[in-house]
Amino acid sequence: MATKTSLPGTSAAAARGTRLDLARRPRRLRRTPAMRALVRETRLSAEMFIEPLFVRSGEGWRTEIGSMPGVYQLSVDEAVKDAHAIKAAGIPGVLLFGLPDEKDAVGSAAYDPEAPVQAAVRAIKREVPGLLVVTDVCLCEYTSHGHCGILVDDEVVNDATVEQLVRAALSHAAAGADIVAPSDMMDGRIGRIREALDDAGFAGTAIMSYAAKYCSAFYGPFREAADSAPAFGDRRSHQMDPANVEEALREVELDIEEGADIVMVKPAMTYLDVIARVKAEFGLPTAAYHVSGEYAMLKAAARNGWIDEPRAMLETLTAIKRAGADIIITYYAREAARVLAG
Ligand code: PBG
């Protein structure tokens, strides 16, 4: 007759009688949700998010971006609707990218006062008071060749490009942007933009510098969203080599000397060490950009049923904050705010 067998010492009674003599039992603080919440070191909140929006001309336009489910190209009226929803979710700001009707070799639509970004800044500042409006300052969405600046012999030339960026930043400030965010990685642009803003009476407009922006494969979906892939070549002559961190600190230091108010590391997940060092060494408000490819990876895995999306999203954003980011720019802003609100 079969009898119930158990390994020696594995019955509940035996287990209760077995006791290691431990001075420290870290598991005590993990026993209940209340205990875990009490000792949690990193708390995520919607107040640290900024949500990017892609604006274009027209009216009533809302076209989903194939590789970025839940992210849209929006006409200005639709962007205003999203801005209302973003503010209602407790998110303090938006970051605007523009899709111009026309592109040319020098990206002149970047500083057209009637272009979508400038129009969206005015509309959002007027209709959604209190929401911060940040603008991306770069030429890649505006040049016919998709490069971030003016080309001479197929090379992006630095100083002439900086003058174009200054024009773009001034036009954003004139439209009412609270923060301009140069993402081009040209040398000396922060200083020139600061000087030009001050001279034009925009001393109160802040600069968030994409200070350590890496040449990353994770911008792929953004380039579909913004129609800004370079027609030839790549961005290695100005964006940083993913292998470098000391260089990132030098870039950040230069931008701070030139007048950056907030410094950014981009992308986020693959550069957590850079975020940590930038925050520790400079102590400035530090932003991290959780970029399009990072978002697309989570979305794709979730759609295949391979990961639990809300958990993966919060784990990701928590890691970015834990590394030292004060501000997280993320396409997940509203979704994360919703989950955090319970
Ligand atoms: C340049 C810019 C890019 C991103 C933000 N600003 C693209 C690039 O450098 O090619 C990428 C953002 C993302 O991938 O979410 N205007």
Side-chain angles (χ1 to χ4, degrees):
M1 205 176 87
T3 53
K4 200 178 153 214
T5 58
S6 60
L7 293 172
T10 56
S11 71
R16 267 192 291 276
T18 306
R19 210 158 61 77
L20 294 174
D21 183 19
L22 293 183
R24 294 264 163 220
R25 289 185 180 270
R27 289 184 56 194
R28 275 183 206 121
L29 301 183
R30 297 180 205 135
R31 287 182 61 214
T32 65
M35 191 69 94
R36 291 191 289 274
L38 186 71
V39 300
R40 188 158 296 133
E41 298 173 33
T42 307
R43 287 174 213 276
L44 214 50
S45 117
E47 287 175 313
M48 67 179 306
F49 299 150
I50 291 180
E51 184 171 319
L53 295 177
F54 296 96
V55 293
R56 47 154 295 149
S57 63
E59 230 176 274
W61 266 91
R62 178 174 288 271
T63 317
E64 195 167 29
I65 295 150
S67 52
M68 300 175 74
V71 180
Y72 301 83
Q73 294 180 344
L74 305 165
S75 52
V76 172
D77 56 323
E78 293 294 319
V80 168
K81 287 183 196 161
D82 279 28
H84 276 297
I86 287 165
K87 179 158 186 232
I91 296 158
V94 291
L95 169 60
L96 301 183
F97 293 95
L99 305 149
D101 289 334
E102 308 271 343
K103 305 188 186 217
D104 63 24
V106 297
S108 54
Y111 45 87
D112 174 354
E114 301 309 321
V117 163
Q118 288 80 351
V121 172
R122 287 191 296 269
I124 294 170
K125 290 309 295 179
R126 185 175 62 238
E127 296 184 36
V128 195
L131 187 70
L132 290 169
V133 178
V134 189
T135 55
D136 185 83
V137 177
C138 190
L139 298 181
C140 65
E141 297 114 83
Y142 301 95
T143 52
S144 39
H145 42 69
H147 282 286
C148 303
I150 292 182
L151 296 181
V152 173
D153 297 334
D154 288 354
E155 264 195 46
V156 178
V157 294
N158 195 86
D159 300 12
T161 296
V162 169
E163 295 313 308
Q164 291 295 79
L165 297 167
V166 165
R167 292 187 178 104
L170 280 173
S171 77
H172 297 169
D178 299 287
I179 304 175
V180 293
S183 66
D184 51 282
M185 289 297 279
M186 295 301 118
D187 294 333
R189 88 276 206 223
I190 300 300
R192 275 291 294 132
I193 289 172
R194 183 70 273 160
E195 177 187 41
L197 288 173
D198 291 352
D199 288 349
F202 300 117
T205 307
I207 300 178
M208 174 162 73
S209 154
Y210 287 68
K213 177 175 178 179
Y214 287 87
C215 191
S216 171
F218 294 105
Y219 307 148
F222 172 95
R223 292 179 188 171
E224 178 199 342
D227 183 26
S228 65
F232 62 88
D234 53 41
R235 308 213 199 286
R236 286 177 216 270
S237 81
H238 42 105
Q239 298 183 349
M240 281 189 50
D241 182 339
N244 296 354
V245 61
E246 300 299 338
E247 186 190 0
L249 301 179
R250 293 196 293 274
E251 279 282 6
V252 170
E253 187 174 22
L254 278 175
D255 284 4
I256 294 172
E257 280 169 14
E258 291 178 28
D261 302 287
I262 300 170
V263 289
M264 191 201 299
V265 174
K266 174 189 176 190
M269 283 299 282
T270 38
Y271 300 91
L272 295 178
D273 58 323
V274 182
I275 296 170
R277 289 196 57 187
V278 166
K279 184 63 193 176
E281 301 218 5
F282 301 102
L284 234 66
T286 302
Y289 199 143
H290 182 237
V291 303
S292 58
E294 302 179 83
Y295 174 82
M297 282 196 297
L298 292 175
K299 282 282 170 197
R303 290 198 159 196
N304 277 302
W306 294 339
I307 55 166
D308 174 339
E309 188 177 17
R311 283 187 60 200
M313 167 182 75
L314 292 186
E315 185 174 335
T316 299
L317 298 173
T318 299
I320 297 167
K321 170 146 199 218
R322 194 191 62 233
D326 304 296
I327 300 164
I328 303 177
I329 300 168
T330 176
Y331 302 98
Y332 267 126
R334 264 178 287 173
E335 243 177 290
R338 211 174 302 127
V339 174
L340 289 171

